[in-house]
Amino acid sequence: MEPCDTPANQSARKIFHELEEYYEEHNLYFRTIGSVLEAADLVGAPHRLKLILSQPKNELMVHCPVQMDDGSWKLLKGYRVQHNNALGPYKGGIRFHPEVKLDEVKTLALLMTMKCALARIPFGGAKGALRIDPRSVSKDELMRVTRRLTSALGDNIGPDYDIPAPDVGTNAQVMAWMADTYINFAESSSKVIARGIVTGKPLEFGGSAGREKATGQGLVYVLDALLPGMNIQLNEVSCSLLGYGNVGSWTARLLQERGTTLKAVMDHTGAILNEEGIDAVALAGYVAETGGVHGFPDASAITSETFYSTPVDLFIPAALEQMIDLEHAQRMQCKVLVEGANAPTTPNAEHYLLEKGVEVLPAILCNAGGVTVSYFEWKQNRQSETWDEEHVDEALKKIMTRSAARVLEAAKRLDCNMRLASYAAAIEQIDKVYEMRGVFP
Ligand code: NAD
């Protein structure tokens, strides 16, 4: 069980009590807002800002009737949570997952607000989801549910208002269907700008060079900025990847280019190990073909316990939320936990790792590359421009390096861990904007 008397819980309890909002100590949203409010206390943020950030501005729930290939009908539940738009239009991915819940979407929307503010990108935070297993439906069914969800969201999304992107279970193809549906509803005079309704589109249809690898690429730039200060060189170290989808597989491939050895990987199909190193490119090809890492010929199958306890320098979660719990943390033998996934670490696992001397690099810093290149895509769409990959990478590196420096500076100034520092640096930016804009009316 998580401890209940942490500073994060105390900060959240105080605000939720004042709002007369129900809370449950072990709920993911409560845990996450607790850390954000603890950071707000650290920087002496005004009370009104803590109230504003503690709940999303809008929580939308839709129910989409969809006919399946066999003629039967399903009613699918969808969400769009718009957490905050003080810095710019709402921005955040759309997840397709059979067990997705409102509190998970609220948490991810809150983290988007923090992420964009830390990176100084002119976006607010949002997140959406559809309760469906995308692997269990045909391509035609997936297209119909995507179009139906897009039309159900209607004017609640828009290129100047709220811009979705891919997340777990969605990809460039899903974004193409979303954009096409939205463009069909748009006035003829705004059809060009309507392409910017989503980012992460295919390159041929308004996507950006470098978007697919962007989250992994951004993570590597963060490591470039921070590891030398820990006396760690990428070409001398080993890593484990939990999750081998977009974020995991691109991180592994880009780290391999830097000479990092990929020792172990686990996904929803199983776990594999090769002490000599797994070829990240070959594994990505195998996963694209078979759907998972299970059965990859050049590695041995291992248990989940062995996966977590394999000694590596960098342990990189790139799957779902809260997978690193205390039990897993107690097995782990790594120097740095690099959060590729959103909210992958439970508070007591983080506490344990920090006490043990493991550095924990927080998600809102490490995985901000995705939203950063989404911002570049949105900009290109608005200006009818096409940037080449070199230009994208250069601009991405600048933003990731500056964000990493911002977190380091805040950690030093506030004498706190990197997660609190990342939230603190984000909150300071949002606070300045509220101070200048005022709170309407
Ligand atoms: P994805 O769907 O491409 O991959 C998800 C991976 O998680 C898959 O390899 C899957 O097998 C694995 N997984 C799922 N359940 C698992 C389980 N029970 N045990 C082990 N592995 C499991 O998703 P993604 O886009 O790579 O996103 C991964 C994480 O990164 C999520 O937290 C997402 O919110 C975050 N993220 C993604 C982006 C992006 O640009 N795609 C950007 C920022 C953050």
Side-chain angles (χ1 to χ4, degrees):
M1 275 301 217
E2 300 285 329
C4 292
D5 58 345
T6 61
N9 273 2
Q10 286 164 9
S11 304
R13 228 181 278 140
K14 223 186 309 174
I15 292 286
F16 274 54
H17 182 71
E18 183 180 338
L19 294 173
E20 296 182 16
E21 281 286 343
Y22 168 79
Y23 64 85
E24 201 265 296
E25 307 270 356
H26 305 294
N27 169 291
L28 177 60
Y29 185 74
F30 187 79
R31 282 177 178 178
T32 312
I33 192 66
S35 295
V36 170
L37 293 172
E38 183 184 351
D41 286 336
L42 269 182
V43 297
H47 179 248
R48 67 166 191 201
L49 184 63
K50 290 191 272 181
L51 285 178
I52 291 169
L53 293 179
S54 66
Q55 290 289 3
K57 277 202 171 179
N58 306 308
E59 296 172 34
L60 181 71
M61 198 184 294
V62 294
H63 294 95
C64 308
V66 185
Q67 189 158 31
M68 309 312 280
D69 290 345
D70 65 3
S72 66
W73 287 86
K74 279 199 172 145
L75 189 67
L76 302 172
K77 192 185 278 295
Y79 304 100
R80 187 70 185 169
V81 174
Q82 296 163 333
H83 178 263
N84 189 276
N85 61 350
L87 267 53
Y90 298 109
K91 184 85 187 82
I94 292 263
R95 172 173 297 194
F96 285 1
H97 195 273
E99 281 145 34
V100 74
K101 297 204 174 57
L102 179 60
D103 275 340
E104 177 184 331
V105 186
K106 279 174 69 172
T107 305
L108 295 166
L110 161 67
L111 290 173
M112 283 304 293
T113 301
M114 294 295 123
K115 200 179 296 184
C116 295
L118 173 64
R120 309 299 195 246
I121 290 172
F123 284 141
K127 201 80 180 191
L130 188 68
R131 207 188 282 172
I132 187 175
D133 179 0
R135 294 192 189 97
S136 71
V137 294
S138 70
K139 190 173 176 188
D140 264 7
E141 288 169 334
L142 195 62
M143 179 182 74
R144 287 200 296 279
V145 303
T146 302
R147 290 191 184 282
R148 185 68 209 210
L149 173 68
T150 311
S151 71
L153 293 174
D155 284 343
N156 293 291
I157 53 172
D160 289 317
Y161 181 64
D162 182 359
I163 306 127
D167 190 70
V168 173
T170 55
N171 54 22
Q173 172 63 82
V174 172
M175 294 305 113
W177 290 324
M178 285 193 81
D180 182 69
T181 309
Y182 188 83
I183 290 168
N184 270 286
F185 283 116
E187 307 260 330
S188 48
S189 58
S190 56
K191 282 197 191 293
V192 173
I193 215 79
R195 266 196 327 177
I197 175 61
V198 286
T199 56
K201 297 183 289 294
L203 201 52
E204 302 79 4
F205 181 37
S208 175
R211 174 60 184 92
E212 206 198 315
K213 64 164 189 171
T215 308
Q217 184 69 74
L219 186 147
V220 173
Y221 288 147
V222 168
L223 294 179
D224 279 340
L226 297 181
L227 291 190
M230 302 174 204
N231 285 324
I232 298 176
Q233 307 303 325
L234 274 182
N235 62 352
E236 291 171 0
V237 298
S238 59
C239 69
S240 281
L241 254 307
L242 171 59
Y244 212 75
N246 174 289
V247 179
S249 71
W250 275 109
T251 299
R253 280 176 274 180
L254 294 164
L255 284 177
Q256 181 164 291
E257 284 177 14
R258 300 300 189 82
T260 304
T261 305
L262 173 62
K263 267 197 188 173
V265 181
M266 184 161 95
D267 74 358
H268 71 288
T269 65
I272 56 170
L273 169 77
N274 184 339
E275 288 286 351
E276 303 307 312
I278 294 168
D279 181 343
V281 177
L283 182 61
Y286 180 82
V287 170
E289 228 171 75
T290 66
V293 303
H294 174 75
F296 182 63
D298 295 325
S300 321
I302 51 169
T303 60
S304 155
E305 289 75 20
T306 308
F307 170 75
Y308 281 105
S309 51
T310 298
V312 281
D313 300 285
L314 313 175
F315 188 101
I316 312 176
L320 301 177
E321 294 75 37
Q322 305 289 280
M323 291 187 74
I324 313 292
D325 59 15
L326 182 60
E327 200 187 323
H328 292 142
Q330 284 168 339
R331 288 185 202 280
M332 282 161 59
Q333 302 181 59
C334 64
K335 292 183 183 146
V336 189
L337 176 73
V338 190
E339 293 189 338
N342 286 308
T345 317
T346 68
N348 60 347
E350 179 176 14
H351 181 74
Y352 174 84
L353 290 169
L354 291 173
E355 290 283 298
K356 214 175 121 181
V358 174
E359 191 62 80
V360 178
L361 303 183
I364 69 158
L365 171 64
C366 296
N367 70 25
V371 71
T372 302
V373 178
S374 275
Y375 165 51
F376 299 157
E377 178 177 334
W378 181 76
K379 256 172 97 160
Q380 290 170 71
N381 290 166
R382 294 179 91 76
Q383 295 158 355
S384 294
E385 271 188 14
T386 309
W387 297 5
D388 59 33
E389 192 169 324
E390 216 176 21
H391 180 45
V392 170
D393 284 351
E394 199 182 310
L396 174 64
K397 184 170 186 170
K398 204 180 270 180
I399 290 188
M400 300 308 294
T401 308
R402 285 180 184 167
S403 302
R406 226 166 260 141
V407 175
L408 267 187
E409 184 281 323
K412 211 165 154 197
R413 173 166 45 95
L414 301 165
D415 190 23
C416 65
N417 66 47
M418 301 281 258
R419 186 180 317 282
L420 285 175
S422 67
Y423 291 154
I427 289 165
E428 284 173 330
Q429 177 78 352
I430 301 171
D431 185 24
K432 275 186 207 150
V433 173
Y434 270 113
E435 195 57 43
M436 285 179 256
R437 290 180 61 164
V439 179
F440 183 81

